[in-house]
Amino acid sequence: MNIQRIAAFSQDEDGGNPAGVVLLDTPLEDAEMARIAAEVGYSETAFAVSQDAEGRKWRVRYFSPESEVPFCGHATIALGAALGQRAGGGTYDLTLNDASISVDAEPTDAGMVATLSSPPTDSRAANPAELAGALGLFGLTAADLDERLEPARIHGGADHLLLALKDRRRLAEMTYDLDRGRDMMRRYGLVTIMLVHIEDTRTFIVRNAFASGGVLEDPATGAAAAAFAGYLRDRGWPHGGEFVIRQGEDMGAPSLIRVRLSDAAGSPVHVSGSTRQIG
């Protein structure tokens, strides 16, 4: 079996979030995919089964080392790069467990760039229990929060909890207990908790806790970026149709996520990133 290892949202041959990619002719059993994902050890591995002779339609599932997740942005970007290397640039249609999306692959002199079109987005205010659980997990208080972006439960193919922090130093200091975080995220059905610092109206510095998948932190989280874009749109934020997320800087894996969106409520957003082969 050919397991590709590709970092998504990398910068200048550095950083990015590693993902496993497995291209298949026939499906694997769930237990086998879970075993492979745990063996690969990255936050997610994408398993894609071809659905047509041209290799343009794929059935995709995502597994972390501990669980299946409904959607993973960085693994989709890595998958797009793998498909582009296999069959050339263009659009690939992906059928997920709960949605149908697409990913575009574009060969460049610096390597493959991929752009995913996300599932529909949605958001709501965080409820008191979710907010109290997250604040307690990270040792934060209400005084640490940036009032410009209220705590929210955000969705763009998977559910995330968003906390915006006023102080960049508080973001850099992020720490929490993995087991406690896993329990909290699974209790509330969250894939990650997204901590955001607003650098300006179109630049955000982010850290994403991914205890639900057995990983302390993601260096780049495309699914959360899509959900965050939907939330900014719902809030009427002056995004200007595009913005960037810098992630992974505080863990030594600098990553850059570019997001494009329209003003149509709930509509898919476009998340782009460079990629690099690992090994």
Side-chain angles (χ1 to χ4, degrees):
M1 182 180 298
N2 180 22
I3 303 173
Q4 298 185 56
R5 292 165 170 82
I6 299 171
F9 305 115
S10 56
Q11 290 195 72
D12 300 324
E13 298 300 317
D14 193 16
N17 195 357
V21 176
V22 183
L23 303 182
L24 300 163
D25 294 322
T26 57
L28 298 176
E29 296 292 334
D30 288 11
E32 180 68 0
M33 288 188 284
R35 182 194 66 78
I36 292 169
E39 185 176 282
V40 171
Y42 294 150
S43 56
E44 275 103 0
T45 294
F47 296 85
V49 181
S50 179
Q51 304 293 293
D52 68 344
E54 293 76 25
R56 292 283 166 173
K57 299 180 185 296
W58 296 80
R59 173 69 172 97
V60 183
R61 295 174 70 181
Y62 308 93
F63 282 77
S64 79
E66 294 194 4
S67 61
E68 183 175 8
V69 296
F71 173 58
C72 173
H74 84 274
T76 302
I77 294 296
L79 172 61
L83 293 174
Q85 291 161 1
R86 179 180 185 271
T91 301
Y92 296 87
D93 296 321
L94 312 179
T95 301
L96 315 184
N97 286 355
D98 302 317
S100 294
I101 65 170
S102 64
V103 65
D104 286 87
E106 179 187 357
T108 72
D109 291 341
M112 197 69 68
V113 173
T115 301
L116 67 85
S117 179
S118 78
T121 67
D122 193 16
S123 67
R124 64 161 173 78
N127 67 41
E130 292 168 339
L131 178 55
L135 291 176
L137 178 65
F138 296 106
L140 299 169
T141 70
D144 293 311
L145 302 180
D146 192 324
E147 296 178 355
R148 290 175 291 176
L149 289 177
E150 296 179 355
R153 187 178 181 115
I154 60 177
H155 179 86
D159 286 342
H160 311 266
L161 193 68
L162 169 77
L163 299 178
L165 304 183
K166 289 187 292 190
D167 192 335
R168 175 68 179 91
R169 290 173 298 178
R170 291 294 279 148
L171 182 67
E173 294 166 355
M174 185 196 87
T175 185
Y176 70 99
D177 180 79
L178 182 65
D179 291 335
R180 182 180 173 189
R182 180 190 295 109
D183 291 344
M184 185 261 176
M185 292 183 202
R186 291 183 178 178
R187 182 183 317 124
Y188 295 113
L190 301 169
V191 175
T192 75
I193 298 177
M194 184 179 193
L195 304 183
V196 176
H197 175 70
I198 304 167
E199 184 165 275
D200 59 48
T201 56
R202 295 164 75 176
T203 307
F204 304 89
I205 306 172
V206 169
R207 300 187 76 172
N208 259 83
F210 184 36
S212 67
V215 178
L216 191 70
E217 180 179 1
D218 248 356
T221 316
F228 181 58
Y231 171 65
L232 292 180
R233 178 167 54 197
D234 293 344
R235 294 276 298 174
W237 186 267
H239 53 73
E242 61 183 5
F243 63 89
V244 297
I245 289 174
R246 291 175 16 219
Q247 192 175 336
E249 295 177 351
D250 294 312
M251 58 185 298
S255 304
L256 187 66
I257 303 173
R258 300 186 182 277
V259 184
R260 292 182 289 108
L261 67 159
S262 73
D263 288 325
S267 64
V269 303
H270 302 285
V271 179
S272 300
S274 299
T275 65
R276 64 179 176 86
Q277 293 285 332
I278 300 172

